[in-house]
Amino acid sequence: ARLKADASMNVTGAAAGSISDSESDTALRLGLGASYGMGDNLDMRAMVRYMPVDFGSTADNLTQVSLGVTYKF
């Protein structure tokens, strides 16, 4: 997976200025999901994704949980 992080900060007043940083990297992404059919046209799904990242002192990993319903025409 491709990962991009952007950060910026603007300071007003006596010490006015701005700071910004941008970083891109390639990282491993792991995922697990399941889908359950509730009839001919309706499915429920759940998915969990995990990605070890390094956002400095902010975060060491990213975990995403997704739930959804799919209707097929």
Side-chain angles (χ1 to χ4, degrees):
R2 187 91 174 132
L3 173 69
K4 182 175 182 185
D6 293 314
S8 65
M9 179 174 68
N10 292 319
V11 179
T12 59
S18 66
I19 300 170
S20 66
D21 189 18
S22 179
E23 184 177 327
S24 295
D25 200 357
T26 301
L28 174 69
R29 181 170 69 178
L30 304 173
L32 179 65
S35 179
Y36 177 75
M38 298 176 53
D40 291 339
N41 298 339
L42 192 62
D43 291 340
M44 285 183 35
R45 64 169 182 79
M47 184 180 299
V48 177
R49 291 183 181 144
Y50 170 80
M51 187 173 0
V53 296
D54 183 12
F55 288 125
S57 62
T58 306
D60 292 329
N61 62 60
L62 176 66
T63 303
Q64 176 185 17
V65 177
S66 165
L67 301 173
V69 176
T70 304
Y71 183 79
K72 300 172 192 168
F73 293 94

Coordinates of all heavy atoms in Angstrom, one line a residue:
A1 N 0.8 -1.2 0.0 CA 0.0 0.0 0.0 C 0.9 1.2 0.0 O 2.0 1.2 0.6 CB -0.9 0.0 1.2
R2 N 0.4 2.3 -0.6 CA 1.1 3.5 -0.7 C 0.6 4.4 0.4 O -0.6 4.6 0.6 CB 1.0 4.2 -2.0 CG 1.8 5.4 -2.2 CD 3.1 4.9 -2.8 NE 3.9 6.1 -3.2 CZ 5.1 6.3 -2.8 NH1 5.8 5.4 -2.2 NH2 5.7 7.4 -3.1
L3 N 1.4 5.1 1.2 CA 1.0 5.9 2.3 C 1.5 7.3 2.1 O 2.7 7.5 1.8 CB 1.6 5.3 3.6 CG 1.4 6.1 4.9 CD1 -0.1 6.1 5.3 CD2 2.2 5.5 6.0
K4 N 0.7 8.3 2.3 CA 1.2 9.7 2.2 C 0.6 10.4 3.5 O -0.5 10.3 3.8 CB 0.7 10.4 1.0 CG 1.2 11.8 0.9 CD 0.8 12.4 -0.4 CE 1.4 13.8 -0.4 NZ 1.1 14.6 -1.6
A5 N 1.5 11.2 4.1 CA 1.1 12.0 5.3 C 1.5 13.4 5.1 O 2.6 13.7 4.6 CB 1.8 11.4 6.5
D6 N 0.6 14.3 5.3 CA 0.8 15.7 5.2 C 0.5 16.4 6.5 O -0.5 16.0 7.2 CB -0.1 16.4 4.1 CG 0.2 15.9 2.7 OD1 1.3 15.8 2.4 OD2 -0.8 15.6 2.0
A7 N 1.3 17.4 6.9 CA 1.1 18.1 8.1 C 1.5 19.6 7.9 O 2.4 19.9 7.1 CB 2.0 17.6 9.2
S8 N 0.7 20.5 8.4 CA 1.0 21.9 8.3 C 0.5 22.6 9.5 O -0.4 22.2 10.2 CB 0.4 22.5 7.1 OG -1.0 22.4 7.2
M9 N 1.1 23.8 9.8 CA 0.8 24.6 11.0 C 1.0 26.1 10.6 O 2.1 26.4 10.1 CB 1.6 24.2 12.2 CG 1.3 25.0 13.4 SD 2.2 24.4 14.9 CE 3.9 24.8 14.5
N10 N 0.1 26.9 10.9 CA 0.2 28.4 10.7 C 0.2 29.0 12.1 O -0.6 28.8 12.9 CB -0.9 28.9 9.8 CG -0.8 28.4 8.4 OD1 0.3 28.4 7.9 ND2 -1.9 28.1 7.8
V11 N 1.1 30.0 12.3 CA 1.2 30.7 13.5 C 1.0 32.2 13.2 O 1.6 32.7 12.3 CB 2.6 30.5 14.2 CG1 2.7 31.3 15.5 CG2 2.9 29.0 14.4
T12 N 0.1 32.8 14.0 CA -0.1 34.3 13.8 C 0.4 35.0 15.1 O 0.6 34.4 16.1 CB -1.6 34.5 13.6 OG1 -2.3 34.1 14.7 CG2 -2.1 33.9 12.3
G13 N 0.6 36.3 15.0 CA 1.0 37.1 16.1 C 2.4 37.5 15.9 O 3.0 37.6 14.8
A14 N 3.1 37.7 17.1 CA 4.5 38.2 17.1 C 5.5 37.2 16.4 O 6.4 37.6 15.7 CB 5.0 38.4 18.5
A15 N 5.2 35.9 16.5 CA 6.1 34.9 15.9 C 5.4 34.3 14.7 O 5.3 33.0 14.5 CB 6.4 33.8 16.9
A16 N 4.9 35.1 13.8 CA 4.1 34.6 12.6 C 5.0 33.8 11.7 O 6.2 34.1 11.5 CB 3.5 35.8 11.9
G17 N 4.4 32.8 11.1 CA 5.1 31.9 10.1 C 4.3 30.7 9.9 O 3.2 30.5 10.4
S18 N 4.9 29.8 9.1 CA 4.2 28.5 8.8 C 5.2 27.4 8.7 O 6.4 27.7 8.3 CB 3.3 28.6 7.6 OG 4.1 28.8 6.4
I19 N 4.8 26.2 9.0 CA 5.6 25.0 8.9 C 4.8 24.0 8.2 O 3.6 23.8 8.4 CB 6.0 24.5 10.3 CG1 6.8 25.5 11.1 CG2 6.8 23.2 10.2 CD1 7.0 25.2 12.5
S20 N 5.4 23.2 7.2 CA 4.7 22.2 6.6 C 5.7 21.0 6.3 O 6.9 21.2 6.2 CB 4.0 22.6 5.3 OG 5.0 23.0 4.4
D21 N 5.1 19.8 6.2 CA 5.9 18.6 5.9 C 5.1 17.6 5.1 O 3.9 17.5 5.3 CB 6.4 18.0 7.2 CG 7.5 16.9 7.0 OD1 8.0 16.9 5.9 OD2 7.7 16.1 7.9
S22 N 5.7 16.9 4.3 CA 5.0 15.9 3.5 C 5.9 14.7 3.3 O 7.1 14.9 3.1 CB 4.6 16.5 2.1 OG 3.9 15.5 1.4
E23 N 5.4 13.5 3.5 CA 6.2 12.3 3.4 C 5.4 11.2 2.7 O 4.3 11.0 3.0 CB 6.7 11.9 4.8 CG 7.6 10.7 4.8 CD 8.1 10.4 6.2 OE1 8.2 11.3 7.0 OE2 8.3 9.2 6.4
S24 N 6.1 10.4 1.8 CA 5.4 9.3 1.2 C 6.3 8.1 1.4 O 7.5 8.2 1.5 CB 5.3 9.5 -0.3 OG 4.4 10.6 -0.6
D25 N 5.7 6.9 1.5 CA 6.4 5.7 1.7 C 5.6 4.5 1.3 O 4.4 4.6 1.1 CB 6.8 5.5 3.2 CG 7.9 4.6 3.5 OD1 8.4 4.0 2.5 OD2 8.4 4.5 4.6
T26 N 6.2 3.4 1.2 CA 5.5 2.1 0.9 C 5.4 1.3 2.1 O 6.4 1.2 2.8 CB 6.2 1.3 -0.3 OG1 6.2 2.2 -1.4 CG2 5.4 0.1 -0.6
A27 N 4.2 0.7 2.4 CA 4.1 0.0 3.7 C 3.2 -1.3 3.5 O 2.5 -1.4 2.5 CB 3.4 0.9 4.8
L28 N 3.4 -2.2 4.3 CA 2.6 -3.4 4.3 C 1.2 -3.1 4.9 O 1.0 -2.4 5.8 CB 3.3 -4.5 5.2 CG 2.5 -5.8 5.4 CD1 2.5 -6.6 4.1 CD2 3.2 -6.6 6.5
R29 N 0.2 -3.7 4.2 CA -1.2 -3.5 4.7 C -1.8 -4.9 4.8 O -1.8 -5.7 3.8 CB -2.0 -2.7 3.8 CG -3.5 -2.5 4.3 CD -4.2 -1.5 3.5 NE -4.5 -1.9 2.2 CZ -5.2 -1.2 1.3 NH1 -5.6 0.0 1.6 NH2 -5.4 -1.6 0.1
L30 N -2.4 -5.3 5.9 CA -3.0 -6.5 6.2 C -4.5 -6.3 6.3 O -4.9 -5.3 6.9 CB -2.5 -7.2 7.4 CG -1.0 -7.4 7.5 CD1 -0.5 -7.9 8.9 CD2 -0.5 -8.4 6.4
G31 N -5.3 -7.2 5.8 CA -6.8 -7.1 5.9 C -7.5 -8.4 6.1 O -7.0 -9.4 5.6
L32 N -8.7 -8.3 6.7 CA -9.5 -9.5 6.8 C -10.9 -9.0 6.7 O -11.3 -8.0 7.3 CB -9.3 -10.1 8.2 CG -10.1 -11.4 8.5 CD1 -9.7 -12.5 7.6 CD2 -9.9 -11.7 10.0
G33 N -11.7 -9.8 5.9 CA -13.1 -9.3 5.7 C -14.0 -10.5 5.6 O -13.6 -11.7 5.3
A34 N -15.3 -10.3 5.7 CA -16.3 -11.3 5.6 C -17.6 -10.7 5.0 O -17.9 -9.5 5.3 CB -16.6 -11.9 7.0
S35 N -18.3 -11.5 4.3 CA -19.6 -11.0 3.8 C -20.6 -12.1 4.0 O -20.4 -13.3 4.0 CB -19.4 -10.8 2.2 OG -20.7 -10.4 1.7
Y36 N -21.9 -11.7 4.4 CA -22.9 -12.6 4.7 C -24.1 -12.3 3.8 O -24.6 -11.1 3.8 CB -23.3 -12.5 6.2 CG -24.5 -13.4 6.6 CD1 -24.3 -14.7 6.7 CD2 -25.7 -12.9 6.8 CE1 -25.3 -15.6 7.1 CE2 -26.8 -13.7 7.1 CZ -26.6 -15.0 7.3 OH -27.6 -15.9 7.6
G37 N -24.6 -13.2 3.0 CA -25.7 -13.0 2.2 C -27.0 -13.1 2.9 O -27.3 -14.1 3.7
M38 N -27.9 -12.1 2.8 CA -29.1 -12.1 3.5 C -30.3 -12.2 2.6 O -31.4 -11.8 2.9 CB -29.2 -10.7 4.3 CG -28.2 -10.6 5.3 SD -28.2 -9.0 6.1 CE -29.8 -8.9 6.7
G39 N -30.1 -12.8 1.4 CA -31.1 -13.0 0.4 C -30.5 -12.9 -0.9 O -29.2 -12.9 -1.1
D40 N -31.3 -12.9 -2.0 CA -30.8 -12.8 -3.3 C -30.1 -11.5 -3.6 O -29.1 -11.4 -4.4 CB -31.9 -13.0 -4.4 CG -32.4 -14.5 -4.3 OD1 -31.6 -15.3 -3.8 OD2 -33.5 -14.7 -4.8
N41 N -30.5 -10.4 -3.1 CA -30.0 -9.1 -3.4 C -29.3 -8.3 -2.3 O -28.8 -7.2 -2.5 CB -31.2 -8.2 -3.9 CG -31.8 -8.7 -5.1 OD1 -31.3 -9.5 -5.9 ND2 -33.1 -8.3 -5.4
L42 N -29.3 -8.8 -1.1 CA -28.7 -8.1 0.0 C -27.6 -8.8 0.7 O -27.7 -10.0 1.0 CB -29.9 -7.8 1.0 CG -29.7 -6.8 2.1 CD1 -29.4 -5.4 1.6 CD2 -30.9 -6.8 3.0
D43 N -26.5 -8.1 0.9 CA -25.3 -8.7 1.7 C -24.9 -7.7 2.8 O -25.0 -6.5 2.6 CB -24.1 -8.8 0.7 CG -24.3 -9.9 -0.3 OD1 -25.2 -10.8 -0.1 OD2 -23.6 -9.9 -1.3
M44 N -24.4 -8.2 3.9 CA -23.8 -7.4 4.9 C -22.3 -7.8 4.9 O -21.9 -8.9 4.6 CB -24.3 -7.8 6.3 CG -25.7 -7.2 6.5 SD -26.3 -7.5 8.2 CE -25.0 -7.5 9.3
R45 N -21.4 -6.8 5.1 CA -20.0 -7.1 5.1 C -19.3 -6.4 6.2 O -19.8 -5.3 6.7 CB -19.4 -6.7 3.8 CG -19.5 -5.2 3.5 CD -18.6 -4.8 2.3 NE -18.7 -3.3 2.2 CZ -18.0 -2.4 2.9 NH1 -17.2 -2.8 3.8 NH2 -18.1 -1.1 2.6
A46 N -18.2 -6.9 6.7 CA -17.3 -6.3 7.7 C -15.9 -6.5 7.2 O -15.5 -7.5 6.7 CB -17.6 -7.0 9.0
M47 N -15.0 -5.5 7.5 CA -13.6 -5.6 7.1 C -12.8 -4.9 8.1 O -13.2 -3.8 8.7 CB -13.4 -4.9 5.7 CG -12.0 -5.1 5.2 SD -11.8 -4.3 3.6 CE -13.0 -5.2 2.6
V48 N -11.6 -5.4 8.4 CA -10.6 -4.8 9.3 C -9.3 -4.7 8.5 O -8.9 -5.7 7.9 CB -10.4 -5.6 10.6 CG1 -9.3 -5.0 11.5 CG2 -11.7 -5.7 11.4
R49 N -8.7 -3.6 8.5 CA -7.4 -3.4 7.9 C -6.4 -2.9 8.9 O -6.7 -2.0 9.7 CB -7.5 -2.4 6.7 CG -8.2 -2.9 5.5 CD -8.2 -1.9 4.4 NE -9.0 -2.4 3.3 CZ -9.7 -1.6 2.5 NH1 -9.7 -0.3 2.7 NH2 -10.3 -2.1 1.5
Y50 N -5.2 -3.3 8.8 CA -4.1 -2.9 9.7 C -2.9 -2.5 8.9 O -2.5 -3.3 8.0 CB -3.7 -4.0 10.7 CG -2.5 -3.7 11.5 CD1 -2.6 -2.9 12.6 CD2 -1.3 -4.3 11.2 CE1 -1.4 -2.6 13.3 CE2 -0.1 -4.0 11.9 CZ -0.2 -3.1 13.0 OH 0.9 -2.8 13.7
M51 N -2.3 -1.4 9.2 CA -1.0 -1.0 8.5 C -0.1 -0.4 9.6 O -0.4 0.6 10.2 CB -1.4 0.1 7.5 CG -0.2 0.4 6.6 SD -0.4 1.5 5.2 CE -2.1 1.9 5.2
P52 N 1.1 -1.0 9.7 CA 2.1 -0.4 10.6 C 2.7 0.8 9.9 O 3.1 0.7 8.8 CB 3.2 -1.5 10.7 CG 3.0 -2.4 9.6 CD 1.6 -2.3 9.1
V53 N 2.6 1.9 10.6 CA 3.1 3.2 10.0 C 4.0 3.9 11.1 O 4.0 3.5 12.2 CB 2.0 4.1 9.6 CG1 1.2 3.5 8.5 CG2 1.1 4.5 10.8
D54 N 4.7 4.9 10.7 CA 5.5 5.7 11.6 C 5.2 7.2 11.4 O 5.7 7.8 10.5 CB 7.0 5.4 11.3 CG 7.9 6.2 12.3 OD1 7.3 6.7 13.3 OD2 9.1 6.2 12.1
F55 N 4.3 7.7 12.2 CA 4.0 9.1 12.1 C 4.7 9.9 13.3 O 4.1 10.7 13.9 CB 2.4 9.3 12.3 CG 1.7 8.9 11.1 CD1 0.6 8.0 11.2 CD2 1.9 9.4 9.8 CE1 -0.1 7.7 10.1 CE2 1.2 9.1 8.7 CZ 0.2 8.2 8.8
G56 N 5.9 9.5 13.5 CA 6.7 10.1 14.6 C 6.1 9.8 15.9 O 5.8 8.7 16.3
S57 N 5.8 10.8 16.7 CA 5.3 10.6 18.1 C 3.7 10.6 18.0 O 3.1 10.4 19.1 CB 5.7 11.8 19.0 OG 5.2 13.0 18.5
T58 N 3.1 10.7 16.9 CA 1.7 10.8 16.8 C 1.0 9.4 16.8 O 0.1 9.1 17.5 CB 1.2 11.5 15.5 OG1 1.8 12.8 15.5 CG2 -0.3 11.7 15.5
A59 N 1.5 8.4 16.0 CA 0.9 7.1 15.9 C 1.9 6.1 15.3 O 2.8 6.5 14.6 CB -0.3 7.1 15.0
D60 N 1.8 4.9 15.8 CA 2.7 3.8 15.3 C 2.0 2.8 14.4 O 2.6 2.0 13.8 CB 3.3 3.0 16.5 CG 4.2 3.9 17.3 OD1 4.9 4.7 16.7 OD2 4.3 3.6 18.5
N61 N 0.6 2.9 14.3 CA -0.1 2.0 13.4 C -1.4 2.6 13.0 O -1.9 3.5 13.7 CB -0.3 0.6 14.0 CG -1.1 0.6 15.3 OD1 -2.2 1.0 15.3 ND2 -0.5 0.2 16.4
L62 N -2.0 2.1 12.0 CA -3.3 2.5 11.5 C -4.2 1.3 11.4 O -3.9 0.3 10.7 CB -3.1 3.2 10.1 CG -4.4 3.7 9.4 CD1 -5.0 4.8 10.2 CD2 -4.0 4.1 8.0
T63 N -5.4 1.4 12.1 CA -6.4 0.3 12.1 C -7.7 0.9 11.5 O -8.1 1.9 12.1 CB -6.6 -0.3 13.4 OG1 -5.3 -0.8 13.9 CG2 -7.5 -1.5 13.4
Q64 N -8.2 0.3 10.5 CA -9.5 0.7 9.9 C -10.5 -0.4 10.0 O -10.2 -1.5 9.7 CB -9.2 1.1 8.5 CG -10.5 1.5 7.7 CD -10.2 1.7 6.2 OE1 -9.2 1.3 5.7 NE2 -11.1 2.4 5.6
V65 N -11.7 -0.1 10.5 CA -12.8 -1.0 10.6 C -13.9 -0.5 9.8 O -14.3 0.7 9.8 CB -13.3 -1.1 12.1 CG1 -14.5 -2.1 12.2 CG2 -12.2 -1.6 13.0
S66 N -14.5 -1.4 8.9 CA -15.5 -1.0 8.0 C -16.7 -2.0 8.1 O -16.5 -3.2 8.1 CB -14.9 -1.0 6.6 OG -15.8 -0.9 5.6
L67 N -17.9 -1.4 8.1 CA -19.1 -2.2 8.1 C -20.0 -1.7 6.9 O -20.0 -0.5 6.7 CB -19.9 -2.1 9.4 CG -19.2 -2.5 10.7 CD1 -20.0 -2.2 11.9 CD2 -18.9 -4.0 10.6
G68 N -20.7 -2.6 6.2 CA -21.5 -2.1 5.1 C -22.6 -3.0 4.8 O -22.6 -4.2 5.1
V69 N -23.5 -2.5 4.0 CA -24.6 -3.3 3.4 C -24.6 -3.1 1.9 O -24.4 -1.9 1.4 CB -26.0 -2.8 4.0 CG1 -27.1 -3.5 3.3 CG2 -26.0 -3.0 5.5
T70 N -24.7 -4.1 1.1 CA -24.7 -4.1 -0.3 C -26.0 -4.5 -0.9 O -26.5 -5.6 -0.5 CB -23.5 -4.9 -0.9 OG1 -22.3 -4.6 -0.3 CG2 -23.5 -4.8 -2.4
Y71 N -26.6 -3.7 -1.7 CA -27.8 -4.1 -2.4 C -27.5 -4.3 -3.9 O -27.0 -3.4 -4.5 CB -28.9 -3.1 -2.3 CG -30.2 -3.5 -2.9 CD1 -31.1 -4.5 -2.3 CD2 -30.6 -3.1 -4.1 CE1 -32.2 -4.9 -2.9 CE2 -31.8 -3.5 -4.8 CZ -32.6 -4.4 -4.1 OH -33.7 -4.8 -4.7
K72 N -27.8 -5.5 -4.4 CA -27.5 -5.8 -5.8 C -28.8 -5.7 -6.7 O -29.8 -6.3 -6.3 CB -27.0 -7.2 -6.0 CG -25.7 -7.5 -5.2 CD -25.4 -8.9 -5.2 CE -24.3 -9.2 -4.2 NZ -24.1 -10.7 -4.0
F73 N -28.7 -4.9 -7.7 CA -29.9 -4.7 -8.6 C -30.0 -5.8 -9.6 O -29.2 -6.5 -10.0 CB -29.7 -3.4 -9.4 CG -29.8 -2.2 -8.5 CD1 -28.7 -1.6 -8.0 CD2 -31.0 -1.6 -8.2 CE1 -28.7 -0.5 -7.3 CE2 -31.1 -0.5 -7.4 CZ -29.9 0.1 -6.9

